[in-house]
Amino acid sequence: MKTRTLNLPGPAAPLRWPALWLARLGLLAAFVLLWAWAASRVPAFILPGPRRVGQALATLLTAPGFWNEVGVTCYRVLAGFGLAAVVGAPLGLALGASRGLASVFEPVLAVLNTVSSAIWAVFAIIWFGLSNGATVFVVFMTAMPLILTNVWQGARNVDPQLLELTRTLGFSRLRTLWRVHLPAILPYFFSGARLAFGFGWRVSLVAETLGASDGIGYRLRQAADLVQTDQVFAWTLLLVALMLALETGVLKPLERHLFRWQSS
């Protein structure tokens, strides 16, 4: 009796970059058209149209204190993210390399991951007042557990045979961390760092809205209080553009450069 084999189609090949960018531009055009249509049906103070938001964005770009506001927010986000990476990566590496430490600190990490960034913002206002430290603290407390957890998972997935080999060769704990654990956790670190960076930008707005006297979040709150909806949209678009620029211009190229050997 003959058996028939069912040939299922394999996964579709990814789009090449010209087609990919054309598809993305088409999606953007559809979004703008839908936005313009919706804005034409409601008052401008509820939903301003793309042209009105574009005019507001052009006004912001030429305002005297614009770059100061952007620079302050970027400094706070990058400072909090940098501290989170410096603290979270070594802690995650240590927890992954030591089961005893992991069993002790696992409940602490669970608590840190469940606390809302809004709660950290309230504590930051109490402890740091209207200062840069408040936003830096909120970004740090949001990003650090994400980086720590990813690095910890990466360290736990190190090949046991490699660890056995290092013990046979008499490697010290520090040398084992440097030669075995560190290369293994780098992909996990970058995955957590990109996630933490995105969350850091978002929570910085919360922190600046509640506890700052300058920055993008503060200007967003000020525009909302004055019902300047077009400026709220303009600041929001600016923030999204900054996030995408840093993501595609810094983090992704750095990740591709460090892990180019994986695709070779």
Side-chain angles (χ1 to χ4, degrees):
M1 181 177 179
K2 294 183 179 180
T3 59
R4 293 183 178 179
T5 58
L6 183 62
N7 295 322
L8 296 176
L15 293 175
R16 295 182 180 273
W17 69 264
L20 178 62
W21 280 105
L22 285 175
R24 289 175 175 176
L25 287 175
L27 181 63
L28 178 62
F31 171 76
V32 172
L33 288 175
L34 180 61
W35 176 11
W37 176 83
S40 66
R41 298 294 191 273
V42 296
F45 71 89
I46 296 178
L47 180 63
R51 179 178 297 180
R52 190 181 183 95
V53 173
Q55 293 172 348
L57 183 58
T59 303
L60 292 179
L61 291 173
T62 57
F66 169 77
W67 293 109
N68 178 63
E69 306 294 344
V70 174
V72 166
T73 297
C74 289
Y75 163 74
R76 290 165 177 164
V77 173
L78 293 175
F81 175 76
L83 286 174
V86 169
V87 174
L91 284 178
L93 192 58
L95 293 182
S98 173
R99 292 184 179 180
L101 281 176
S103 60
V104 172
F105 285 96
E106 187 172 4
V108 178
L109 186 58
V111 171
L112 292 177
N113 280 320
T114 55
V115 175
S116 170
S117 58
I119 297 177
W120 291 125
V122 173
F123 283 128
I125 295 172
I126 296 172
W127 294 336
F128 300 100
L130 301 180
S131 67
N132 288 337
T135 304
V136 171
F137 173 78
V138 176
V139 173
F140 170 78
M141 293 305 299
T142 303
M144 189 271 292
L146 295 173
I147 295 176
L148 193 158
T149 302
N150 274 49
V151 172
W152 179 19
Q153 293 299 321
R156 290 176 60 185
N157 291 331
V158 173
D159 189 350
Q161 293 183 354
L162 289 178
L163 297 178
E164 184 64 30
L165 181 61
T166 59
R167 284 191 287 268
T168 303
L169 296 175
F171 279 22
S172 65
R173 177 62 66 87
L174 182 60
R175 191 177 182 187
T176 302
L177 288 174
W178 180 258
R179 291 296 184 90
V180 179
H181 284 89
L182 185 61
I185 62 97
L186 275 178
Y188 292 87
F189 168 77
F190 270 91
S191 176
R194 288 173 61 182
L195 183 64
F197 189 72
F199 273 98
W201 273 107
R202 279 174 263 179
V203 301
S204 69
L205 290 185
V206 177
E208 288 183 343
T209 300
L210 297 177
S213 58
D214 52 7
I216 295 177
Y218 171 75
R219 295 302 175 190
L220 269 170
R221 186 190 69 189
Q222 192 177 54
D225 290 342
L226 297 174
V227 200
Q228 296 173 337
T229 316
D230 54 347
Q231 289 198 20
V232 172
F233 273 71
W235 280 113
T236 304
L237 289 177
L238 174 68
L239 183 69
V240 171
L242 285 173
M243 289 176 60
L244 291 176
L246 289 171
E247 169 78 11
T248 59
V250 178
L251 293 179
K252 280 189 177 179
L254 181 60
E255 186 176 9
R256 285 196 298 266
H257 175 72
L258 290 176
F259 304 118
R260 61 188 183 279
W261 55 272
Q262 291 183 340
S263 58
S264 59

